[in-house]
Amino acid sequence: MIKPKYQTNKGKIFHGNSIELLSNQLKEELKGKVNLIITSPPFPLNNKKQYGNEKGEEYKEWFIKLAPIFSDLLTDDGSLVIEIGNAWEPERPVQSLLHLECLLGMVKHPEANLRLIQEFICYNPSKLPSPAQWVTVNRLRTVDSYTHVWWIAKDDFPKADNSKVLRPYSKSMMQLLKRQSYNSGKRPSEHKISEEGFLKDNGGSIAHNFFEMEALDEKRDVRLPHSVLSFSNTNSNDYFLKTCRTKGISPHPARMSGGLVNFFIQFLTEEGDLLLDPFAGSNTTGYCAEKLNRKWVSFEVKEDYINQAIIRLSNPNLKPPSKHL
């Protein structure tokens, strides 16, 4: 049996091809036990990146084959969350349908019994202009500034609780709660607003499926759930970046947002549940799982990125200390 490259009291990371390992050596150990698979697989880019990625039809075939493997790993009420960017046709200013074909292929796979529960959009205005040829060189297209996040499951009612990921109330809602009155009655849309429907303080408003990682409008507060902001607005990740700089290491270029991972962990799992990331990179998923008291298993094919994951998990804020194997 393959041994993990590194582990903590809550989780372990394996070095190798996750799909091969999960189809063979680790299949029975994890089958039906994973509460949440959350990952950002290599995007279907036209140019090969250092973190590895397939292209075109090869990518689609590879992606769709993941469906029955992931389905077997999940508990009956478990979820699969995948972040993926847009693709473009090679040497053409035309957006590819590849990512949509991948989604359809996955949820329609006859051996997987999966369905799309909800799509989320993660907007990041700090992304570099892409595709560069058609945005900054020829000036024919606008900046591709968001990624898709697909929430997929085996059942129509996977474990989920949106009360765990509430957004802060708006200023107007806070004022309404304070004065305990508002204009009720029938709206032009024919919706009937009850007299007391908005008077109860639930601790925050229900989260949206649009993540504004930076403010669209500087004059307006970004009302992301605390689970997102708690990662983004603290120094919890500075240890990793500072250590990488000190050691002269270039951090993984496509790290998944820790705030995004936090959100779905708290939304879709409970303490003690098992998370899995088959394409871990520097292991943001494992780090967030440690902070939120979940068990985790990660896989990474490149040893350099496992070394970065070890740096991340060596953060002194994570207790008890981790160990090499």
Side-chain angles (χ1 to χ4, degrees):
M1 178 65 70
I2 184 174
K3 293 184 178 180
K5 187 74 174 181
Y6 186 79
Q7 76 175 41
T8 73
N9 288 346
K10 295 187 180 74
K12 45 195 167 186
I13 185 166
F14 291 91
H15 178 214
N17 184 308
S18 59
I19 306 309
E20 292 178 1
L21 293 173
L22 291 169
S23 300
N24 298 293
Q25 299 182 57
L26 297 174
K27 181 177 181 179
E28 292 305 316
E29 180 180 339
L30 295 172
K31 185 176 181 179
K33 297 179 181 178
V34 179
N35 302 97
L36 173 62
I37 300 173
I38 182 165
T39 193
S40 179
F43 288 2
L45 304 174
N46 292 322
N47 298 314
K48 282 282 186 179
K49 299 294 185 180
Q50 60 179 325
Y51 51 86
N53 58 289
E54 300 291 344
K55 298 191 295 182
E57 289 300 312
E58 291 179 353
Y59 184 92
K60 183 171 73 172
E61 181 180 350
W62 170 81
F63 191 95
I64 292 173
K65 284 181 178 179
L66 301 177
I69 297 172
F70 288 169
S71 181
D72 280 347
L73 295 171
L74 289 173
T75 59
D76 290 340
D77 63 352
S79 291
L80 165 62
V81 173
I82 297 177
E83 181 191 22
I84 194 164
N86 292 310
W88 293 76
E89 294 291 346
E91 301 181 3
R92 297 173 63 197
V94 176
Q95 189 166 322
S96 170
L97 299 178
L98 181 60
H99 64 294
L100 299 177
E101 292 171 355
C102 287
L103 172 63
L104 290 173
M106 174 167 278
V107 297
K108 290 181 175 293
H109 196 293
E111 300 173 17
N113 189 34
L114 296 173
R115 72 286 325 263
L116 178 64
I117 301 298
Q118 191 170 16
E119 180 175 22
F120 293 74
I121 297 297
C122 185
Y123 168 71
N124 183 359
S126 295
K127 287 184 68 175
L128 294 175
S130 66
Q133 179 66 40
W134 311 119
V135 175
T136 59
V137 178
N138 291 334
R139 301 276 180 167
L140 298 175
R141 299 293 178 264
T142 58
V143 177
D144 193 359
S145 60
Y146 70 91
T147 58
H148 307 264
V149 182
W150 297 324
W151 174 18
I152 297 168
K154 295 164 64 172
D155 187 84
D156 291 3
F157 298 94
K159 181 193 295 186
D161 184 351
N162 66 27
S163 69
K164 295 179 179 179
V165 286
L166 297 175
R167 299 193 306 161
Y169 282 130
S170 65
K171 292 178 181 178
S172 60
M173 184 61 184
M174 293 295 290
Q175 292 170 355
L176 183 154
L177 289 171
K178 186 175 181 179
R179 69 174 181 266
Q180 285 291 293
S181 66
Y182 60 94
N183 294 325
S184 59
K186 199 171 184 178
R187 296 291 188 265
S189 63
E190 298 189 359
H191 285 91
K192 186 177 180 181
I193 307 300
S194 67
E195 294 182 1
E196 298 182 358
F198 291 95
L199 298 182
K200 182 181 178 181
D201 187 345
N202 292 302
S205 61
I206 297 172
H208 290 188
N209 66 338
F210 178 83
F211 294 101
E212 186 181 346
M213 303 310 289
E214 292 184 19
L216 283 165
D217 181 357
E218 294 181 356
K219 297 179 181 179
R220 178 177 55 80
D221 292 335
V222 176
R223 293 194 297 123
L224 287 171
H226 177 71
S227 53
V228 178
L229 289 175
S230 64
F231 192 100
S232 304
N233 291 352
T234 68
N235 294 324
S236 61
N237 207 32
D238 283 358
Y239 174 86
F240 170 69
L241 296 175
K242 288 178 180 178
T243 304
C244 283
R245 285 195 293 268
T246 299
K247 294 179 177 291
I249 297 171
S250 296
H252 191 292
R255 301 185 302 280
M256 196 174 184
S257 163
L260 200 65
V261 176
N262 272 2
F263 174 86
F264 284 105
I265 290 177
Q266 294 187 314
F267 180 29
L268 304 178
T269 70
E270 300 170 325
E271 288 194 8
D273 279 356
L274 177 62
L275 280 58
L276 185 143
D277 188 342
F279 313 108
S282 59
N283 201 30
T284 301
T285 296
Y287 179 85
C288 291
E290 290 276 333
K291 297 284 285 185
L292 296 173
N293 196 29
R294 271 69 166 173
K295 295 179 290 185
W296 59 272
V297 178
S298 294
F299 297 83
E300 176 51 46
V301 72
K302 290 185 175 291
E303 193 161 10
D304 286 350
Y305 294 147
I306 290 184
N307 292 334
Q308 291 186 26
I310 293 172
I311 291 174
R312 191 187 291 281
L313 292 167
S314 298
N315 190 322
N317 290 328
L318 295 179
K319 302 295 182 183
S322 309
K323 61 182 179 180
H324 290 275
L325 292 179

